[in-house]
Each structure stands twice: as structure tokens, then as C-alpha cells.
Amino acid sequence: PPYGDRLLPLVCEQFIEKFADSIVTLNLRHNLLLHLVNLWDFGLLLSEEVQAYMEFVDAYALSLAKG
């Protein structure tokens, strides 16, 4: 469904939480980062949001590595 620009941070957060496993296991971290930076470049996300999303993915990857 279409979402307004104001909901984009929430939608990104939900997407990352839902697909963190796939992002990590399929080695898509850099693709995600590029997409988030493009959204930041267009003024749709704050840099703090991009950082928080990537920290979440990295923490998830670390938890998988630890077992």
C-alpha cells in the first residue's frame, strides 16, 4: 500500500525488523545501506535514523554470529 513520506521511517523500521535475517544471511547489508542513504539524500530519512537502522542490522548479525 502507498505510504506518506511522514510514515517512511516507521515503514523502514518495520521492514528491517521483519527482514533482518534475510538481509544478514543473503549479505545484503551494503544494498540496504545504499537504499537508506538514497532516502536520506532525498530528505526522507534523518541521518540518525539511517544510523539506528544499520546498528540494528549489525547487532542482529552479531547475535547470529555468536549463536
Side-chain angles (χ1 to χ4, degrees), residues 7 12-15 23 25 29-30 33 36-37 40 43 47-49 51 56-57 61-65:
L7 289 178
C12 287
E13 184 177 339
Q14 292 173 343
F15 177 87
I23 292 167
T25 57
R29 182 189 185 280
H30 293 290
L33 179 58
L36 294 174
V37 168
W40 168 81
S47 59
E48 294 83 6
E49 292 166 332
Q51 182 177 355
F56 179 86
V57 170
L62 188 60
S63 72
L64 282 183

Side-chain angles (χ1 to χ4, degrees), residues 7-53:
L7 289 178
L8 193 57
L10 176 63
V11 172
C12 287
E13 184 177 339
Q14 292 173 343
F15 177 87
I16 291 168
E17 288 174 357
K18 183 175 181 179
F19 294 105
D21 187 61
S22 296
I23 292 167
V24 172
T25 57
L26 296 175
N27 208 16
L28 298 173
R29 182 189 185 280
H30 293 290
N31 299 68
L32 174 65
L33 179 58
L34 179 61
H35 186 67
L36 294 174
V37 168
N38 280 327
L39 293 173
W40 168 81
D41 194 34
F42 282 97
L44 299 173
L45 290 179
L46 300 174
S47 59
E48 294 83 6
E49 292 166 332
V50 173
Q51 182 177 355
Y53 301 149

